[in-house]
Amino acid sequence: MFEVFEENESEVRSYCRKFPTVFTHAKNARLTDRDGREYIDFFAGAGAINFGHNNPYIKQAIVDYLSQDRIIHALDMYTEAKEGFLLALKEKVLAPRNLPYKVMCCGSTGTNAVEAALKLCRKVKGRENVFAFSGAFHGMTLGSLAMTGDRFSRKGAGTSLGNVTFMPYFNAFEDEMTSLDYLESVLKDDHSGIDRPSAIFLETVQAEGGINVAPVHWLKRLRKICDENDILMVVDDIQVGVGRTGYFFSFERADIVPDMVVLSKSISGFGLPMSLLLMKPEYDLFKPAEHNGTFRGNQLSFVGARAGIEYFDKEKLDMRASDYGHIIMDYLREEILPLDERLKIRGIGMIAGIDFSAIDSKLALEACHKCFDAGLVIELAGREDCVLKILPPLTIDKEDLVKGLKIVKESVKNVI
Ligand SMILES: Cc1ncc(COP(=O)(O)O)c(C=O)c1O
């Protein structure tokens, strides 16, 4: 059934092992496989499908562009597709939020924007060290991997991953401020043995790390620490940006302005490759071509991204994520938690998690398999993959959302 893949494709393939079927079609929050079986999608391409599969508004813009023989590949030359995107981003996203950022178009995946940010922070501040947090995930290339916590991924580097110091995330201690007390003491103590970093990289909600939602007061204090110590704050919004938390940018809820932001996944609107580094203008210090690349600026992604921004604005996707987020958290609280008092739930907007670690982390994988058997695609996150991660497209129908949640409930009940 999967011979072509198993014989020809590298062993590195991963998601297909959890979702063993051959997919053929996808529409909004539904996937269809070769046998015509339908699945509800609680995975959304790991956050790349916030606008739903084949979103008709975005698809139309891309089809129109394609059908007119418009330019598809242009490196970083000026095109109307890029012009339209930059204007839409400025007028509908950045200006209304008073965000001053300049936009750097990076390579096609999120990790390339993280690499660009890392290089730029070191260049701007002239300091090699950066801080990242325990539980962080920033990507798989060497710089991003050096800021990623999980040992399995780090081991895959096959080389040393240096010049990053890990600080405890807010959830490392019972009192969440202990982590920042420690971070601050390291900066103050001239005998701490830890070099002052050029930047602190963070996710305001760690997704791969297990759906850890940093509290607002923690984020605000971190911003203050960065200001007081001449350190850049870089928010990685690759997975939880573009509306996921109920805001276009995840840091809006804390009313802070990072010095740089990295975006990818859903920013192209259509699941096409695209990544961006947004930076305050005073940090726009790369010389021309200093972070170059052939695929910086896929024209179809620009067209999709512009249409996605228009759709976001028109449909108020941030409010929808917030409303549907309440449906999810209410369901988890009322229907899932009573199944076993040792379960833990966490979430914000349309990202939520069910943590099995206090019972047995392995149960999360069993629940994930049961969900798939019952027609739901859902992934795991966190230490030892102990968290079942709920991440539907923001455009999912209410019926599908509730149906998916019921499958989750039955699967959890089954495994515990
Ligand atoms: C927060 C975060 N940063 C960076 C990345 C890396 O993005 P990509 O896989 O597109 O390189 C991911 C991917 O899951 C992510 O969730």
Side-chain angles (χ1 to χ4, degrees):
M1 196 179 169
F2 309 121
E3 295 84 7
V4 172
F5 307 100
E6 287 168 358
E7 282 168 23
N8 296 286
E9 197 184 353
S10 157
E11 291 303 313
V12 78
R13 62 192 191 278
S14 66
Y15 298 115
C16 52
R17 299 175 194 270
K18 271 192 203 116
F19 313 122
T21 189
V22 179
F23 292 104
T24 56
H25 293 75
K27 189 79 192 148
N28 199 7
R30 292 237 173 182
L31 306 168
T32 309
D33 72 9
R34 189 145 70 181
D35 302 323
R37 183 159 191 237
E38 282 204 346
Y39 300 81
I40 294 173
D41 187 2
F42 268 19
F43 182 32
I49 303 289
N50 284 9
F51 296 89
H53 294 274
N54 280 297
N55 180 300
Y57 183 82
I58 303 171
K59 183 167 68 178
Q60 192 58 53
I62 291 173
V63 168
D64 288 350
Y65 189 87
L66 268 176
S67 67
Q68 293 160 15
D69 281 343
R70 306 289 295 268
I71 187 161
I72 297 295
H73 186 266
L75 295 121
D76 69 356
M77 291 184 271
Y78 298 146
T79 65
E80 284 190 347
K82 179 152 66 177
E83 188 176 49
F85 160 69
L86 288 172
L87 277 176
L89 185 75
K90 186 168 181 176
E91 285 169 11
K92 293 195 170 12
V93 177
L94 300 180
R97 292 167 178 80
N98 252 325
L99 295 170
Y101 300 130
K102 285 192 84 178
V103 181
M104 174 171 165
C105 299
C106 302
S108 34
T109 67
T111 195
N112 191 263
V114 175
E115 296 286 347
L118 196 50
K119 282 162 70 173
L120 188 55
C121 290
R122 287 175 170 149
K123 183 180 166 80
V124 167
K125 293 294 175 195
R127 291 176 227 134
E128 215 168 337
N129 197 24
V130 300
F131 283 0
F133 286 105
S134 53
F137 184 87
H138 294 292
M140 285 282 166
T141 49
L142 292 182
S144 310
L145 199 51
M147 298 193 292
T148 289
D150 90 273
R151 285 197 190 119
F152 175 78
S153 303
R154 292 175 67 83
K155 195 152 176 266
T159 186
S160 55
L161 298 168
N163 302 317
V164 175
T165 307
F166 279 87
M167 289 287 135
Y169 201 44
F170 79 90
N171 58 350
F173 303 102
E174 210 160 298
D175 177 351
E176 55 218 20
M177 283 308 179
T178 309
S179 60
L180 293 184
D181 291 342
Y182 172 70
L183 191 152
E184 230 177 352
S185 74
V186 160
L187 293 172
K188 276 206 184 105
D189 179 4
D190 63 353
H191 281 50
S192 69
I194 293 173
D195 293 336
R196 190 151 62 106
S198 56
I200 299 181
F201 279 68
L202 74 146
E203 300 146 274
T204 70
V205 179
Q206 288 183 343
E208 300 303 310
I211 326 302
N212 307 314
V213 184
V216 164
H217 58 282
W218 189 90
L219 292 166
K220 279 184 187 296
R221 181 163 163 212
L222 184 64
R223 174 68 271 187
K224 194 158 167 271
I225 293 173
C226 288
D227 288 339
E228 289 169 356
N229 291 278
D230 185 33
I231 295 167
L232 297 168
M233 178 189 241
V234 185
V235 167
D236 180 343
D237 242 0
I238 287 174
Q239 187 154 165
V240 297
V242 196
R244 177 60 60 185
T245 64
Y247 300 86
F248 190 92
F249 294 107
S250 72
F251 53 82
E252 287 176 62
R253 77 186 155 96
D255 198 21
I256 54 169
V257 180
D259 299 298
M260 296 184 198
V261 182
V262 282
L263 280 180
S264 186
K265 294 201 190 267
S266 277
I267 188 63
S268 80
F270 207 62
L272 293 171
M274 181 170 185
S275 83
L276 300 175
L277 168 57
L278 311 180
M279 84 282 274
K280 288 185 177 167
E282 59 268 37
Y283 304 128
D284 184 19
L285 296 181
F286 273 136
K287 298 219 164 55
E290 211 178 353
H291 186 85
N292 227 346
T294 310
F295 290 110
R296 286 174 310 116
N298 177 293
Q299 305 305 307
L300 290 185
S301 301
F302 286 137
V303 173
R306 174 194 178 163
I309 288 168
E310 287 165 1
Y311 183 88
F312 191 96
D313 207 42
K314 203 160 56 83
E315 300 294 327
K316 302 202 176 1
L317 268 199
D318 41 1
M319 284 165 75
R320 188 186 163 105
S322 182
D323 290 349
Y324 278 31
H326 285 118
I327 298 178
I328 297 172
M329 286 314 283
D330 287 349
Y331 191 92
L332 296 190
R333 206 171 297 113
E334 287 158 21
E335 301 287 335
I336 306 277
L337 268 188
L339 297 175
D340 191 309
E341 62 191 13
R342 292 167 296 174
L343 289 169
K344 279 174 258 154
I345 55 167
R346 297 185 287 274
I348 181 168
M350 286 180 77
I351 179 164
I354 305 169
D355 185 334
F356 289 78
S357 59
I359 311 174
D360 178 356
S361 297
K362 285 194 294 295
L363 295 183
L365 179 60
E366 285 179 32
C368 167
H369 289 320
K370 293 257 183 274
C371 284
F372 185 72
D373 293 344
L376 180 76
V377 171
I378 189 167
E379 239 297 59
L380 304 177
R383 273 104 176 150
E384 299 178 322
D385 275 347
C386 65
V387 176
L388 205 51
K389 179 170 84 164
I390 297 170
L391 196 82
L394 309 183
T395 50
I396 191 170
D397 298 335
K398 203 180 267 182
E399 300 81 70
D400 273 356
L401 180 63
V402 172
K403 209 166 161 186
L405 288 169
K406 284 185 176 155
I407 295 176
V408 171
K409 178 181 171 183
E410 282 314 303
S411 305
V412 173
K413 201 152 96 182
N414 229 298
V415 299
I416 53 181

